[in-house]
Amino acid sequence: MSRLSRYPGFFPMTVFCLTVLYAPLLIVMIYSFNESSSITRWGGCSLVWYQEVFFGIESAKFKTAAWNSLTIAIGAATTATAIATAASLAMLRSGQFRGRQASFALINLPLMVPEIVTAVATLIFFSSIGFQRGLLTILLAHIVFCIPFAYLPIAARLQGIEGYYEQAAMDLYASRWQAFRLILMPLMMPGIIAGFLLAFIISLDDFIITNFVKGAGIETLPTAIFGAVKQGIKPNIMAISTCMLAVSVLFVTASYFVNKLGNQNQ
């Protein structure tokens, strides 16, 4: 089998794609350390805009938005992970049942539907039932949206666990709950942790759905950044964006290594 890198034009195309994807992020990171208030002129290296984020005039607004994002992300990731764990057990440990393929498609539907469509549909649903928009509507919308992201690593982990572990436990007079709690769940834990981390960062970074279903006066960090950008791009926005990017990279990397470590220890 020939290596993909040997095909003509593979390397230039790879460099082009990586440049388009990551050059804007690198520019934002670099200019977040710019001492000048200009976003185009370099004035020296400084942490003044990070100080502005945490202690400046707008710091209270961003801290409130960050706290809202954090609490919603924790709640959404926890709930979505619990639902995804139950769904993976039902899909992979219950054998064949009527509607299995339809259930699988339903779980993964938020991944296939454009996010703007999901946002509009969620807004229409909440409006039609008279549900007042606020933090709770954001939380509910994020739970639904995060379920497939939590489901994928959990299901992948469960697929690699042979069924004879639970069978051996039940042969030794363990109940189904004991076999799950003492045998299967510890084996699934790397996938569960990876699913939680992935769902957490998806919820933390979401803007489109949040912007549609949030109530008046309610802001998360992405919507607060968007509101600030509409008044003009300032270097402190680049500092906040860099912080969010660092958190996202950290959690995605942790999710990858936790899942990989679990597969190696299996």
Side-chain angles (χ1 to χ4, degrees):
M1 182 180 295
S2 60
R3 295 176 59 185
L4 184 61
S5 58
R6 293 180 178 177
Y7 284 90
F10 175 82
F11 182 74
M13 181 60 66
T14 301
V15 172
F16 173 76
C17 292
L18 292 176
T19 302
V20 171
L21 285 173
Y22 295 109
L25 299 179
L26 291 175
I27 292 173
V28 168
M29 292 174 60
I30 292 171
Y31 272 89
S32 69
F33 296 98
N34 185 14
E35 186 175 7
S36 172
S37 60
S38 172
I39 62 171
T40 58
R41 181 175 58 85
W42 182 256
C45 188
S46 174
L47 296 175
V48 62
W49 300 115
Y50 289 90
Q51 183 180 358
E52 178 72 19
V53 168
F54 291 101
F55 305 105
I57 299 175
E58 297 180 307
S59 61
K61 177 182 71 174
F62 288 123
K63 286 178 182 178
T64 301
W67 176 252
N68 288 340
S69 291
L70 183 62
T71 53
I72 291 171
I74 292 174
T78 302
T79 308
T81 302
I83 295 173
T85 301
S88 63
L89 289 170
M91 295 292 293
L92 301 175
R93 283 295 193 266
S94 298
Q96 294 293 332
F97 58 90
R98 181 177 299 179
R100 186 173 184 269
Q101 294 301 322
S103 299
F104 179 79
L106 187 63
I107 293 172
N108 291 279
L109 188 62
L111 294 175
M112 297 178 286
V113 175
E115 192 174 352
I116 185 67
V117 175
T118 302
V120 172
T122 306
L123 174 61
I124 293 173
F125 172 74
F126 285 137
S127 299
S128 63
I129 64 175
F131 204 95
Q132 185 176 0
R133 287 181 291 166
L135 290 176
L136 183 57
T137 54
I138 300 175
L139 176 62
L140 294 175
H142 281 205
I143 289 172
V144 174
F145 185 67
C146 288
I147 288 174
F149 292 96
Y151 174 84
L152 291 177
I154 296 173
R157 175 63 179 167
L158 186 58
Q159 281 180 331
I161 302 174
E162 298 294 340
Y164 52 71
Y165 290 106
E166 304 112 281
Q167 295 173 3
M170 288 187 286
D171 286 343
L172 297 173
Y173 305 104
S175 64
R176 286 186 176 274
W177 168 246
Q178 289 174 325
F180 169 73
R181 181 172 60 88
L182 300 176
I183 304 299
L184 187 57
M185 189 173 180
L187 293 173
M188 291 176 60
M189 193 54 64
I192 293 174
I193 295 174
F196 174 85
L197 293 174
L198 189 57
F200 177 88
I201 205 61
I202 291 296
S203 174
L204 189 70
D205 291 345
D206 181 76
F207 167 75
I208 297 178
I209 294 177
T210 304
N211 195 49
F212 271 78
V213 302
K214 72 182 184 70
I218 303 296
E219 298 288 354
T220 62
L221 203 50
T223 61
I225 292 174
F226 179 73
V229 167
K230 289 194 295 185
Q231 301 172 4
I233 300 177
K234 301 177 183 178
N236 64 331
I237 301 301
M238 294 187 178
I240 298 174
S241 301
T242 302
C243 291
M244 290 191 66
L245 177 62
V247 172
S248 299
V249 171
L250 178 64
F251 272 79
V252 172
T253 304
S255 174
Y256 169 78
F257 280 109
V258 166
N259 207 14
K260 184 178 180 180
L261 182 63
N263 291 333
Q264 290 177 347
N265 293 336
Q266 185 177 336

